Amino acid sequence: MSSWSVLRSIQNADRVNEHRVRKGVSRRIVRFAGPYRRDIAVFLLTVVLAAGIGVATPLLAGEVINAITAGGSGAAGAVVRIALVIAGLAVADALLSLAQRWYSARIGEGIILDLRTRVYDHVQRMPLQFFARTQTGALVSRLNNDVVGAQRAFTSTLSGVVSNVIQLALTAAVMFTLSWQITALSLLLLPVFIVPARRVGKRLAEITRESYDLDAKMNATMTERFNVSGALLVKLFGRPDNEAARFGERASRVRDIGVQQAMYSRTFFVAMLLVASLAQALTYGLGGWLAVRGNVSAGTVVTLALLLTRLYGPLTALSNVRVDVMSALVSFDRVFEVLDLKPGIAEKPDAVPVPAGSGRIEFRDVRFRYPSADQVSLATLEDVSTLDRTEQEEVLTGLDFTVEPGQMVALVGPSGAGKSTTSMLVSRVYDVTGGTVLVGGVDVRDATLESLRDTVGVVTQDSHLFHETIADNLRYARPGATEEQMWEALTGARIAALVRALPDGLDTVVGERGYRFSGGEKQRLAIARLLLKQPSIVILDEATAHLDSESEAAVQRALAEALRGRTALVIAHRLSTIREADQILVLDKGRIVERGRHEELIGAGGLYASLYRTQFTEAVI
Ligand SMILES: Nc1ncnc2c1ncn2[C@@H]1O[C@H](COP(=O)(O)OP(=O)(O)O)[C@@H](O)[C@H]1O
Ligand SMILES: [Mg+2]
C-alpha cells in the first residue's frame, strides 16, 4: 500500500536522525495493522473523495464569479445551479468527514486495544524478578501513554500524511493549471515560514517527550507513596514537607512545559495563518491586476485565492511530519520493547499433566541463580540508564532430596540460606538453572502449568489478598466453588466465625479500602483459599513468622487442618512443627549440610543444634 511506503521512506530518512528506532519497527507496525486492512482501504477512499471535493468547491466558486461577470439572460439560472451543486458537495463532505472519523477511530482504538491486551498479558507472565525491579508507575504509564502515543501513528500522523499528500498534490496540480505565474509567486512566501516552523516543531516534540517522562515520574511517585505502606513510612519519618516539595518541583516543571507547549503550538499556528493570509493578499493583488488587464478571469482569481488556503495547511503539516512520525515510532518501539522481554515461565507445547493427587517432590542436583537485571528488565522502566549485566551468585549449589507422598519435610537454616528459593522452584515460579525438580515424577518444566498449580499450594509469610470480596478472593483458587464449599474451607481455616459475623459476610471487600483483616486473619483466609484448591502438596514458607503468639496459635490450628493427609514442605521456625517432621533438611549457603530427625541432629551437634539454641521458638500452645 502506498501509505506504508510513505511511512517507510520517512523512517528511512530518519535512520540518520539522532533518535534511533530499532530496526523492523515499521514492519511490525504494518503487521499490527493487518487485521484492519479493509478499514484502512475504506478510510483512504474517503480521504481521496474529500480531497476531490475540497478542490471542486473553489473551482465552482470561480464559476459563480465568472457567470456573474459574464452576465446575460442565462446567468441567474447558472448561478443558482452551481450554488446547488456546491450545497450538495458540502453535504457530501460532511458525511465523508463523519465516515472518515468513524474509520480512523475504529482503526486507532482497535490498535490501542490490541497493544494494551498484548502488553498486559505479556507483563503478567514476566518473571517475578521483573516486578521486583520495575517501578509500577513507570510500567503503568507505558501501558497508557505509550500505547496511546503509538496509536497516533495510525490515526493522526499516518492519515495526516496520506490526506495531506493527496490534498497537496491535487490542489497544486489544479492551481498550476489555472495560472502558474500566480501560483509560483504565492508560493514564494513558503520558505520564509517553513524553515522556522520546522525548528518550532522539533522543539515541540522535545518538550512533549519531556512531559511524558515527567508524567511517568509523577505517576511512579504517587503509586509508591500513596499505598498504605508508603504512606505509613512518610508519616513515621515525618517527611510530608519534603515529599510535597519534591512532588511540587516535578509538578511545576509540568506546568512550565504545559505553558511552553501551548505557546509554541500557538505561535506555530498563528504564523501559518499569517503567511497563508499574506499569500492570499498577494494572490488578490497580482491576480486582480492580471484580471483587470484581461489576462485571467475574475473567477480564476477567486478560485486560486480559495485554493491557496488548502495548500498552506497540508504543506506546513507535512513540514513537521517527520517529527510526528518519529515520536509515534518511538512510542511503538517502547511498547515493542516490553513485548520483546523474554517471558518467564512458559508451558511446553507437548506438556503433560502432573498425575492428580501426586505427592512426591524430588530435587536432583538442583542449581539455581537468579536472573541478572538485563535478562528480566528494561532500563527505561527502572529509571536507570543501563542495567546490571553481572551474573548473580549461585543461590542453590546442588540440592538433592526427596519428599515421599504424605511426608512432612522441614526446611531449616539461617536467613539467606536459600529456603524460600527452594520452595519457589517446586511451584515453578522460577526455572532451575541446573538439575531437575520433579513433582509426581514429572519434571516441572514438562508439566502443564495448570496441573502443577492444582497440585502445589503455597502459603507465604505475607499472603496477599486482592482488593475484592472474600468470595472473589477464595474463588481465585477455584473459580467454580459453591458457597457451601467456601464455608467449608473457611471453617477448616478457623476463620468462618469471623467472616460470618461481618455484616456483608462473604461479600465483604478486603484490603486497603475494604475490611482490614489482621495479619493472622489474612493468613487464615489464605489458608482457606488453599484448602479450597485441595492441593495434594502444600508448601509453607514461614507462614506464621510475622504473627503475634495469639494469632500464631490460631493460624497453627488452621495449618494443621491444611496439612492433614497431604505432602508438606515446611519452612518453619517453630520447634513443635520441626519436631513432627519426618525429615529435617538443614540448608546453609545453598546446600544441604545436615539431614535427619530432630534427636539425631541435636545429637550430631552441628548447625542444627546451634540453630536449635538460638533461633527456634518454643511452642505457644
Ligand atoms: N529476587 C531475588 N533476586 C536476587 N537474589 C535473591 C532474590 N531473592 C533472594 N535472593 C538471594 O538468594 C539467597 C537466598 O534467599 P532466600 O531463598 O530468600 O533465603 P531464605 O528464605 O533461606 O532466607 C539470598 O542470598 C538472597 O539475597
Ligand atoms: Mg525466606
Side-chain angles (χ1 to χ4, degrees):
M1 226 180 291
S2 67
S3 53
W4 304 132
S5 57
V6 172
L7 185 63
R8 207 161 310 147
S9 69
I10 291 164
Q11 201 211 342
N12 285 343
D14 253 300
R15 287 262 156 75
V16 289
N17 213 350
E18 71 254 55
H19 308 288
R20 254 172 187 269
V21 173
R22 289 179 307 162
K23 259 171 70 180
V25 167
S26 46
R27 210 171 320 125
R28 291 176 78 175
I29 299 175
V30 173
R31 224 176 308 137
F32 252 95
Y36 302 96
R37 245 177 321 218
R38 192 181 302 167
D39 283 352
I40 291 173
V42 178
F43 172 77
L44 290 180
L45 186 71
T46 63
V47 167
V48 172
L49 288 177
I53 291 178
V55 178
T57 307
L59 281 173
L60 290 171
E63 288 305 312
V64 172
I65 304 294
N66 284 344
I68 296 169
T69 45
S73 59
V79 167
V80 171
R81 268 197 305 279
I82 299 172
L84 282 177
V85 177
I86 293 180
L89 286 179
V91 172
D93 195 34
L95 293 177
L96 273 177
S97 135
L98 285 181
Q100 226 174 69
R101 195 70 196 96
W102 162 252
Y103 281 101
S104 70
R106 259 170 55 118
I107 299 165
E109 297 299 322
I111 286 174
I112 287 192
L113 171 72
D114 297 348
L115 280 177
R116 263 205 189 130
T117 47
R118 284 274 281 276
V119 173
Y120 184 92
D121 188 48
H122 190 80
V123 165
Q124 61 167 351
R125 284 172 210 281
M126 290 302 295
L128 207 55
Q129 279 290 85
F130 173 80
F131 299 95
R133 302 201 63 96
T134 51
Q135 296 187 305
T136 314
L139 192 59
V140 170
S141 103
R142 177 99 27 137
L143 259 148
N144 289 330
N145 296 350
D146 284 303
V147 164
V148 171
Q151 176 266 145
R152 293 219 175 101
F154 270 80
T155 45
S156 38
T157 313
L158 185 62
S159 74
V161 175
V162 179
S163 67
N164 283 325
V165 165
I166 293 174
Q167 195 180 323
L168 191 65
L170 206 61
T171 309
V174 172
M175 284 180 75
F176 273 101
T177 322
L178 287 176
S179 163
W180 66 268
Q181 300 95 327
I182 300 178
T183 308
L185 200 68
S186 60
L187 286 181
L188 277 183
L189 281 175
L190 207 59
V192 181
F193 167 65
I194 282 199
V195 175
R198 290 189 59 145
R199 279 254 172 85
V200 175
K202 203 166 160 202
R203 178 80 191 110
L204 207 54
E206 281 165 17
I207 293 177
T208 309
R209 194 163 305 137
E210 193 186 340
S211 80
Y212 275 178
D213 278 354
L214 281 168
D215 265 352
K217 284 206 176 109
M218 280 202 312
N219 271 345
T221 310
M222 285 191 275
T223 44
E224 238 220 308
R225 301 296 195 261
F226 286 177
N227 62 60
V228 174
S229 5
L232 180 63
L233 200 63
V234 172
K235 285 189 198 309
L236 289 181
F237 284 85
R239 307 296 290 258
D241 292 341
N242 300 39
E243 293 289 334
R246 240 172 60 141
F247 184 78
E249 221 169 84
R250 284 180 175 174
S252 60
R253 181 71 193 126
V254 172
R255 173 201 56 197
D256 296 345
I257 282 186
V259 172
Q260 274 185 28
Q261 222 170 357
M263 279 325 289
Y264 271 114
S265 50
R266 179 48 66 93
T267 310
F268 187 82
F269 185 69
V270 167
M272 185 200 84
L273 227 59
L274 179 65
V275 174
S277 304
L278 290 179
Q280 214 164 18
L282 199 71
T283 309
Y284 280 127
L286 178 68
W289 185 70
L290 288 174
V292 170
R293 295 180 34 149
N295 294 7
V296 295
S297 73
T300 303
V301 178
V302 170
T303 302
L304 284 173
L306 288 175
L307 282 176
L308 203 63
T309 56
R310 296 186 58 83
L311 201 58
Y312 268 78
L315 269 175
T316 48
L318 286 174
S319 77
N320 272 306
V321 87
R322 240 168 57 117
V323 181
D324 289 351
V325 172
M326 260 333 276
S327 12
L329 285 175
V330 168
S331 284
F332 259 108
D333 199 25
R334 280 163 64 93
V335 173
F336 289 152
E337 198 178 49
V338 175
L339 286 178
D340 288 346
L341 282 169
K342 223 171 80 203
I345 305 297
E347 187 172 293
K348 282 189 184 165
D350 55 350
V352 295
V354 175
S358 299
R360 198 185 156 89
I361 307 170
E362 203 182 335
F363 272 53
R364 288 188 196 150
D365 190 28
V366 168
R367 302 176 161 272
F368 181 73
R369 67 176 81 237
Y370 281 95
S372 63
D374 68 314
Q375 285 173 306
V376 288
S377 188
L378 281 174
T380 46
L381 285 176
E382 288 190 29
D383 211 6
V384 295
S385 53
T386 52
L387 285 172
D388 198 0
R389 283 174 177 280
T390 50
E391 202 166 57
Q392 299 274 314
E393 292 233 352
E394 207 161 46
V395 172
L396 301 180
T397 53
L399 286 196
D400 275 294
F401 66 85
T402 308
V403 185
E404 297 295 347
Q407 271 193 344
M408 199 239 280
V409 169
L411 210 52
V412 300
S415 160
K419 304 181 297 290
S420 299
T421 309
T422 306
S423 77
M424 284 199 270
L425 295 182
V426 180
S427 45
R428 208 184 166 203
V429 175
Y430 294 105
D431 271 338
V432 296
T433 39
T436 325
V437 174
L438 298 111
V439 171
V442 180
D443 185 337
V444 290
R445 285 167 298 185
D446 297 331
T448 61
L449 292 175
E450 197 188 345
S451 70
L452 190 63
R453 306 278 181 256
D454 284 347
T455 309
V456 183
V458 183
V459 179
T460 53
Q461 294 182 358
D462 300 293
S463 295
H464 188 70
L465 298 170
F466 288 121
H467 184 73
E468 286 164 8
T469 66
I470 294 177
D472 290 337
N473 271 291
L474 290 178
R475 284 209 192 90
Y476 203 70
R478 187 164 157 197
T482 64
E483 279 209 12
E484 212 182 327
Q485 290 166 329
M486 287 194 261
W487 282 115
E488 200 178 308
L490 290 168
T491 310
R494 307 290 186 268
I495 186 98
L498 184 109
V499 174
R500 203 166 280 129
L502 295 172
D504 293 328
L506 282 175
D507 294 326
T508 306
V509 175
V510 181
E512 291 182 9
R513 279 165 219 87
Y515 184 82
R516 299 296 302 271
F517 288 96
S518 76
E521 290 160 357
K522 258 167 65 175
Q523 286 303 74
R524 279 183 281 159
L525 277 177
I527 294 167
R529 184 168 60 187
L530 175 122
L531 285 176
L532 205 53
K533 198 165 82 158
Q534 303 203 312
S536 47
I537 296 174
V538 173
I539 295 175
L540 305 177
D541 187 352
E542 309 200 331
T544 58
H546 290 171
L547 304 179
D548 55 81
S549 47
E550 197 180 323
S551 13
E552 180 172 4
V555 172
Q556 207 60 45
R557 282 192 292 271
L559 283 175
E561 172 76 19
L563 296 184
R564 187 177 313 145
R566 300 195 162 94
T567 308
L569 184 62
V570 178
I571 301 169
H573 59 119
R574 274 185 79 247
L575 195 55
S576 65
T577 313
I578 303 170
R579 262 199 173 125
E580 281 168 24
D582 297 294
Q583 188 181 195
I584 299 166
L585 304 173
V586 185
L587 210 62
D588 188 28
K589 301 197 183 80
R591 64 178 75 235
I592 297 174
V593 290
E594 289 174 79
R595 61 178 89 199
R597 297 198 53 134
H598 177 71
E599 288 76 20
E600 298 163 22
L601 293 175
I602 291 289
L607 179 60
Y608 183 82
S610 78
L611 284 171
Y612 169 69
R613 285 193 299 275
T614 55
Q615 288 198 2
F616 300 154
T617 53
E618 271 306 331
V620 279
I621 353 169

